[in-house]
Amino acid sequence: MIQTAFESAKDVDLILFIIEATSKEIGKGDSVILEKIKEAKKKTILLINKIDLVKKDELLSLIELYSKQYKFEAVIPISAKQGDKNETVLEEIEKCLSLGPKYYDDETYTDQSIRMIVEETVREKALKLLDDEVPHGIYVETTKLKKGKTRENEPIFNIEVTIYCQRDSHKGIIIGKKGSMLKRIGMYAREDIEKTLGEKVNLQTWVKVRKDWQDEDNIVNRFKIGN
């Protein structure tokens, strides 16, 4: 992944370089990244994360240290945990980007199919809520997607998804005690899917064990870039 990022640097319009505020000096890894940024000669925004863990004078020293290394478009202290600088980051990104060709209509939100949106959203929630060793061994499949009406005659998507995992022990973790974890995954996923689709969603989730799914090309190819 790191090598891919380095190779892509020459083709991008803007680079976001993230470091930790707890750093006292420019480490070996960050030095390598800085050299790649200098070689690419691209607009770069420096994001200093975890500012909630350091004092103001330490932060100022770090900003001065990095500012001597490269002419950044902006240096933004942030706390990903608190998420209070999201708008500032987006505003600075927008300032650095120029207008390009219009590939989609204004009303087009995404070029992904609804099935893909559902599957990626459910998997995203699993990544956030489950233990580290489980999410990378799961994939999500939409098994039912049908638009209908509620009792109040409002449009609603009736969706069923199956979460496949590789081990019986993982199935238990995904479901949780009395189904608590699966309910949380489904609840958070449904909320995001409703926001994306702009309509109500009835989401049903199931969990099954499929130990050898990573050996099936038709499944693995879905995770590759461009598919």
Side-chain angles (χ1 to χ4, degrees), residues 97-129:
L97 300 179
S98 57
L99 291 176
K102 188 175 182 180
Y103 293 111
Y104 302 100
D105 295 332
D106 292 338
E107 293 78 16
T108 302
Y109 178 76
T110 176
D111 63 346
Q112 287 187 314
S113 69
I114 294 177
R115 288 181 180 273
M116 291 173 62
I117 291 171
V118 170
E119 291 165 358
E120 288 302 308
T121 302
V122 172
R123 193 166 191 272
E124 176 201 353
K125 301 310 172 186
L127 281 167
K128 289 185 176 181
L129 294 172

Side-chain angles (χ1 to χ4, degrees), residues 11-216:
D11 299 319
V12 302
D13 296 315
L14 177 67
I15 296 173
L16 298 183
F17 180 24
I18 305 177
I19 64 171
E20 294 190 1
T22 52
S23 303
K24 302 298 182 183
E25 58 185 18
I26 301 176
K28 182 178 180 181
D30 288 337
S31 294
V32 172
I33 295 173
L34 270 171
E35 289 306 311
K36 293 295 182 180
I37 291 175
K38 291 176 182 178
E39 290 175 13
K41 298 179 181 179
K42 296 292 183 177
K43 293 181 180 180
T44 302
I45 294 176
L46 178 65
L47 302 178
I48 305 178
N49 191 26
K50 300 184 180 180
I51 59 172
D52 51 304
L53 300 180
V54 298
K55 296 179 180 178
K56 185 176 181 180
D57 58 339
E58 295 174 320
L59 177 60
L60 293 175
S61 297
L62 193 62
I63 292 174
E64 182 180 3
L65 178 63
Y66 273 86
S67 295
K68 291 179 180 178
Q69 300 298 317
Y70 193 75
K71 186 177 179 181
F72 297 103
E73 299 299 315
V75 178
I76 310 175
I78 65 171
S79 171
K81 183 178 180 180
Q82 297 174 352
D84 57 347
K85 292 292 182 70
N86 292 346
E87 290 300 322
T88 301
V89 174
L90 291 175
E91 288 172 1
E92 290 298 332
I93 291 175
E94 187 174 0
K95 289 179 184 178
C96 295
L97 300 179
S98 57
L99 291 176
K102 188 175 182 180
Y103 293 111
Y104 302 100
D105 295 332
D106 292 338
E107 293 78 16
T108 302
Y109 178 76
T110 176
D111 63 346
Q112 287 187 314
S113 69
I114 294 177
R115 288 181 180 273
M116 291 173 62
I117 291 171
V118 170
E119 291 165 358
E120 288 302 308
T121 302
V122 172
R123 193 166 191 272
E124 176 201 353
K125 301 310 172 186
L127 281 167
K128 289 185 176 181
L129 294 172
L130 296 171
D131 292 333
D132 291 339
E133 70 273 15
V134 177
H136 302 289
I138 69 172
Y139 85 93
V140 180
E141 181 181 25
T142 304
T143 54
K144 177 182 177 181
L145 178 60
K146 188 175 181 181
K147 198 167 185 179
K149 297 284 187 178
T150 65
R151 293 181 179 179
E152 292 76 25
N153 205 36
E154 295 178 341
I156 187 171
F157 279 98
N158 292 304
I159 304 172
E160 292 184 11
V161 299
T162 299
I163 301 174
Y164 291 95
C165 59
Q166 294 176 297
R167 302 177 185 176
D168 291 323
S169 59
H170 288 176
K171 180 179 179 180
I173 295 173
I174 295 170
I175 295 174
K177 188 176 181 180
K178 296 182 179 180
S180 59
M181 178 56 71
L182 189 58
K183 288 179 181 177
R184 290 180 66 196
I185 294 172
M187 179 183 68
Y188 292 132
R190 177 184 55 78
E191 290 175 351
D192 276 13
I193 296 169
E194 286 183 336
K195 290 177 183 178
T196 301
L197 301 182
E199 294 186 16
K200 289 186 176 181
V201 169
N202 173 30
L203 178 65
Q204 301 293 322
T205 55
W206 312 91
V207 184
K208 294 182 179 180
V209 176
R210 192 166 176 175
K211 298 180 180 180
D212 58 350
W213 72 261
Q214 290 185 334
D215 296 326
E216 299 182 33

